[in-house]
Amino acid sequence: MKLALAADHGAFELKESIKKHLEEKGIEYEDFGCYSKESVDYPKFAYKAAKAVADKKFDFGVICCTTGLGVSMAANKVKGIRAAVCTNEMLAEMTRRHNNANVICMGQNVVSAELANKLVDIFISTGFEGGRHERRVALLTDIEEGKDIS
Ligand code: RB5
């Protein structure tokens, strides 16, 4: 298990605390920045981590900003990425089971550090259910490829 981490300045501290948690659990990660609280543009950092996940260099991405929203929009522009903003345990579990999400996005101003760690744990340990959800996730890929699925 290897995770791609990224955040903008608005979630620098959350990313650092997630890193500590992963280290305690012995989970491998790479930190794609940012590396301080200096103001940066979130799409650049979300892109780096999301692209690394899409290129199959990592199992999952954990990408954060102040709200989780901007980074999720950026990550979802990368082909092959299904990024979900998670704010509670149920969302972290369901987006793996039903959407086969490969990136979890969280907001530093939305979730506590403790909850963020819990959501990461749930996200990376929950499997995709497949079955009917396989077809639906395939339709997401069709949309991404510009197909008319109506
Ligand atoms: C940065 O000020 C803030 O806009 C960013 O962290 C994020 O929440 C955007 O969606």
Side-chain angles (χ1 to χ4, degrees), residues 53-136:
V53 173
D55 289 345
K56 311 255 182 260
K57 292 178 182 144
F58 295 85
D59 298 285
F60 297 112
V62 179
I63 311 182
C64 305
C65 62
T66 311
T67 58
L69 299 174
V71 288
S72 75
M73 291 180 192
N76 275 318
K77 299 280 182 202
V78 178
K79 197 168 163 29
I81 291 301
R82 290 174 301 281
V85 182
C86 294
T87 55
N88 65 37
E89 289 93 331
M90 189 269 283
L91 296 179
E93 182 189 332
M94 293 305 284
T95 199
R96 286 288 309 127
R97 284 175 53 190
H98 286 193
N99 316 127
N100 201 11
N102 48 15
V103 171
I104 181 170
C105 297
M106 294 177 290
Q108 180 172 294
N109 283 12
V110 181
V111 294
S112 66
E114 193 188 25
L115 179 58
N117 292 340
K118 210 181 281 179
L119 299 190
V120 170
D121 291 347
I122 293 169
F123 188 84
I124 66 174
S125 64
T126 304
F128 177 46
E129 267 179 31
R132 67 189 187 280
H133 301 294
E134 199 84 59
R135 184 178 68 244
R136 293 164 185 166

Side-chain angles (χ1 to χ4, degrees), residues 7-27:
D8 74 350
H9 56 285
F12 171 72
E13 285 162 327
L14 184 63
K15 173 168 66 63
E16 294 308 297
S17 99
I18 292 170
K19 280 163 62 176
K20 197 163 162 262
H21 175 68
L22 295 176
E23 280 157 24
E24 279 164 13
K25 296 196 79 172
I27 297 171

Side-chain angles (χ1 to χ4, degrees), residues 2 46 118 139 141 143 146:
K2 201 169 174 199
K118 210 181 281 179
L139 285 167
T141 305
I143 295 172

